Amino acid sequence: MSSPHVLVVDDTHVDRHVVSMALMRHNVRVTAVESVMQALMFLDSEHDVNMIVSDYCMPEMTGYDLLMEVKKSPKLAHLPVIIASSDNIPERIRKCLDGGAKDYILKPVKIVDVPRILNYI
C-alpha cells in the first residue's frame, strides 16, 4: 500500500513546513503550496491526493473558499478537508464544519495532532 498523499495549503512558510514535517514523520507524502489558487491548479492536474489540510486565513481566498471549491467539484468532493487556524472563533469553526470540513485544528499544529488528522484519510 502506498503512502497517503496530503496537500498542505498555507501562505506562511513556517506553518507549511511544520505541518509537512509532522505528516512526513508518519510516512505521509506531502505536497505543500502557498495559496488556494495553487492548490486548485495542483488538484486539477494531480489525482492521487487523499486529503487537504488548509490554513483558514490567507490572502485572496481563504481555506473556507478552498473547502467550498472542493465540495462543489464532483471530482474532488470526496476529499476530506481539515482547516487549521490560530483563530479560535466558534462561528468560524461551525461555518467550516457545516460546510463540510472534517475537522478544525488550532495552530500551531503539533505532532500530537497528526493521528487526529490521519484519522480522516
Side-chain angles (χ1 to χ4, degrees):
M1 183 174 151
S2 65
S3 299
H5 185 188
V6 174
L7 177 62
V8 174
V9 187
D10 200 309
D11 62 315
T12 305
H13 175 75
V14 170
D15 289 335
R16 270 195 322 272
H17 183 72
V18 167
V19 173
S20 296
M21 295 309 295
L23 290 168
M24 286 190 279
R25 285 188 182 147
H26 284 78
N27 197 31
V28 173
R29 281 189 311 129
V30 174
T31 298
V33 298
E34 62 185 41
S35 73
V36 171
M37 290 310 296
Q38 286 179 353
L40 292 171
M41 288 185 339
F42 181 79
L43 290 165
D44 191 46
S45 64
E46 196 64 38
H47 305 287
D48 73 339
V49 172
N50 302 105
M51 172 186 285
I52 301 166
V53 177
S54 178
D55 181 25
Y56 182 90
C57 293
M58 292 181 282
E60 298 171 20
M61 294 177 80
T62 66
Y64 180 78
D65 296 328
L66 174 59
L67 173 65
M68 292 298 94
E69 290 296 318
V70 167
K71 293 305 173 188
K72 77 179 185 185
S73 166
K75 184 178 96 174
L76 303 174
H78 69 282
L79 289 175
V81 178
I82 294 178
I83 302 293
S85 178
S86 55
D87 298 325
N88 189 0
I89 303 170
E91 298 79 24
R92 180 182 295 167
I93 295 169
R94 175 64 32 223
K95 177 179 166 184
C96 290
L97 295 175
D98 287 349
K102 291 294 184 186
D103 208 340
Y104 186 102
I105 294 177
L106 290 176
K107 287 181 174 184
V109 174
K110 299 170 275 317
I111 293 292
V112 296
D113 294 320
V114 174
R116 176 175 161 191
I117 292 169
L118 296 180
N119 231 12
Y120 297 106
I121 295 181

